[in-house]
Amino acid sequence: AGLRADWTSRDERVRLGATAISDKGDGARTELAAVDLRARITAATELRAEAAMSRSAGSSAKAWTIEAEHHAGQLDLLAYGRSLDEDFGLAQQNRAERGRRKIGIDARAQLAEGWSVTGSAWRDDSLSDSSARNAVELRTDLRRGKTDARLGIAHFSDSLNDGRKTSSTVLEAGATQRLLDNRLELDGATSVALGNTGSIDLPARHRFGARYAVTSAIRLL
């Protein structure tokens, strides 16, 4: 059973909402309550936030998220924070994100037609142990007709649950070429280590791929 209610201001710049859910599956009944906010600060900036709590079998868990999104000319920005207790909710969340808190910022700048630069920085903490990650990525993309090229650098610094620290820094480059009236697409990418590559999610690697459209409904990869 569920109930949803929301209120929107007369100028439609602010919306407040509340949700309540009671769910009984094969296990214990779970009760969930949440409140959310969406506010248009300016024509180019929007704020979104949500906080929720669930309770099952005598134990409770919480989750929250907040995002600020801004678009101005050729610049796009997204700042965010998210936290999700491991036992929260009705088993609808991505398991990889449960029991973690992540705070970061994403940015994209359009420098010219077909040329853009993107950057991301974030901190990811476990809520159940001492593991954590600091990460920074910077990348530029160039699109010219049937050719795409990309060049970037990424750094992950990890603190593991057993007290060890690892890090990876790689230079990433790649290109995509479309041929035969776009029926054939060739793609190559490489990540070259700049020092250590101790992070399991950021190894030195090399990849080549091809995709061919036999018909409009069949593709060979």
Side-chain angles (χ1 to χ4, degrees), residues 77-80 103-107 119-122:
L77 292 172
L78 175 66
Y80 60 88
I103 298 173
I105 185 169
D106 298 334
S120 298
W122 70 90

Side-chain angles (χ1 to χ4, degrees), residues 98-218:
R98 292 166 59 182
R100 308 201 68 83
R101 180 177 60 244
K102 187 176 182 180
I103 298 173
I105 185 169
D106 298 334
R108 180 179 183 273
Q110 190 77 26
L111 302 181
E113 184 178 357
W115 182 25
S116 65
V117 173
T118 58
S120 298
W122 70 90
R123 164 89 178 185
D124 188 353
D125 290 281
S126 171
L127 300 177
S128 58
D129 55 47
S130 59
S131 61
R133 166 175 289 172
N134 292 313
V136 178
E137 293 182 332
L138 183 65
R139 170 174 155 172
T140 182
D141 290 83
L142 184 64
R143 301 176 66 91
R144 288 288 185 270
K146 297 184 177 183
T147 304
D148 301 340
R150 54 197 180 274
L151 178 66
I153 188 170
H155 174 77
F156 286 3
S157 177
D158 296 335
S159 298
L160 305 182
N161 189 35
D162 58 7
R164 293 184 298 121
K165 294 184 181 297
T166 65
S167 65
S168 289
T169 303
V170 299
L171 183 67
E172 300 175 317
T176 302
Q177 181 67 47
R178 291 172 289 277
L179 304 167
L180 303 180
D181 197 24
N182 293 333
R183 294 180 63 186
L184 175 62
E185 183 176 281
L186 304 177
D187 182 81
T190 183
S191 298
V192 180
L194 302 178
N196 296 326
T197 53
S199 175
I200 191 173
D201 297 317
L202 196 64
R205 58 188 171 188
H206 313 286
R207 180 177 59 85
F208 178 77
R211 183 177 69 176
Y212 180 70
V214 180
T215 69
S216 60
I218 300 175

Side-chain angles (χ1 to χ4, degrees), residues 43-64:
T45 305
E46 184 175 88
L47 177 68
R48 299 180 293 269
E50 184 175 3
M53 179 172 288
S54 65
R55 184 174 180 84
S56 180
S59 63
S60 60
K62 61 184 182 298
W64 58 265

